[in-house]
Amino acid sequence: YEKALPELENALIWEPENTEIENKINEATLKLDILVRGQFVQERIEKAYSMYRKNDMLSSLSEWLVILDFEPRNPKAKEYVRKITDTLDEKQKEQSQKELMERKQKLVTQLLKQGNNYLYQKKYKEAIGEWEKILKIDSDNQTAKQNIETTKNNIKFIAQNLFEEGLKFFNT
């Protein structure tokens, strides 16, 4: 899907009214997002299991909670959150919540950086994808919202400029 998207986007430039191309772009984007999310969640599950086996309950709980942020219906995550929270006392639960917030903030910071790196490389759709992941973790994140809006506006501006340049050549 990663290789298909740029080709499909180029095709759409040539045929902007072609709904079949647009549908394939949407389908590829969705499947790529599912694939990336699935890989991310699987890595987190392995990490959560590892910490659980090492009896590091707070770290394991934090990982399971991150998994639930991405997959709220994940039955294994729900099971382990319940198991672990049943064994924690109040102070440990407070500590766990604090650690969770710190982990979420760290993840948001990483996603912001990755999005900015993509933006710098002029990989606008990938940048937007990273910032959209932030909104799945923190739906009120104003930086991500602003970055998405600004980048989408920039894409429109670039497309319009390219179109106008193309028309110049076309009309000469």
Side-chain angles (χ1 to χ4, degrees):
Y1 301 110
E2 272 182 69
K3 292 178 182 178
L5 273 174
E7 297 301 322
L8 291 168
E9 288 167 348
N10 284 335
L12 191 61
I13 289 170
W14 289 97
E15 275 191 84
E17 302 300 318
N18 189 321
T19 56
E20 182 181 4
I21 296 171
E22 194 172 334
N23 289 340
K24 285 294 181 188
I25 289 173
N26 292 337
E27 182 182 341
T29 302
L30 179 65
K31 288 184 179 185
L32 186 60
D33 185 47
I34 291 168
L35 181 66
V36 169
R37 187 181 311 136
Q39 290 170 343
F40 174 81
V41 168
Q42 187 57 40
E43 289 170 7
R44 291 290 183 169
I45 288 172
E46 290 170 13
K47 193 172 181 182
Y49 278 135
S50 173
M51 291 173 182
Y52 186 84
R53 285 190 296 270
K54 292 177 184 174
N55 209 28
D56 184 355
M57 296 300 160
L58 290 177
S59 297
S60 180
L61 178 61
S62 293
E63 290 299 321
W64 289 116
L65 290 171
V66 169
I67 292 163
L68 285 174
D69 282 339
F70 280 86
E71 292 183 356
R73 294 184 177 132
N74 187 301
K76 276 292 176 197
K78 285 181 177 182
E79 174 189 347
Y80 275 87
V81 165
R82 190 173 46 259
K83 275 185 189 179
I84 294 168
T85 54
D86 287 348
T87 65
L88 299 178
D89 63 28
E90 284 305 310
K91 187 174 182 179
Q92 288 173 315
K93 287 178 184 177
E94 288 174 20
Q95 179 65 26
S96 172
Q97 285 298 332
K98 182 181 175 189
E99 287 179 12
L100 174 62
M101 294 306 295
E102 289 171 358
R103 285 176 183 264
K104 280 185 175 183
Q105 187 54 47
K106 187 176 179 180
L107 180 59
V108 165
T109 300
Q110 289 172 342
L111 291 169
L112 275 173
K113 282 183 182 179
Q114 185 60 43
N116 291 339
N117 287 339
Y118 281 136
L119 181 65
Y120 180 74
Q121 297 170 23
K122 298 182 180 178
K123 296 180 176 181
Y124 302 113
K125 294 217 182 231
E126 290 87 345
I128 290 170
E130 293 301 300
W131 298 323
E132 285 174 342
K133 289 177 190 175
I134 292 169
L135 295 178
K136 291 175 184 169
I137 297 168
D138 175 10
S139 61
D140 295 326
N141 189 292
Q142 293 304 311
T143 304
K145 287 180 180 180
Q146 184 62 42
N147 286 354
I148 291 168
E149 182 181 341
T150 301
T151 303
K152 285 181 176 180
N153 288 336
N154 286 342
I155 290 170
K156 288 177 187 174
F157 178 76
I158 291 167
Q160 183 62 36
N161 283 340
L162 290 171
F163 176 71
E164 289 171 7
E165 285 297 313
L167 282 181
K168 287 178 188 176
F169 291 111
F170 185 78
N171 292 327
T172 55

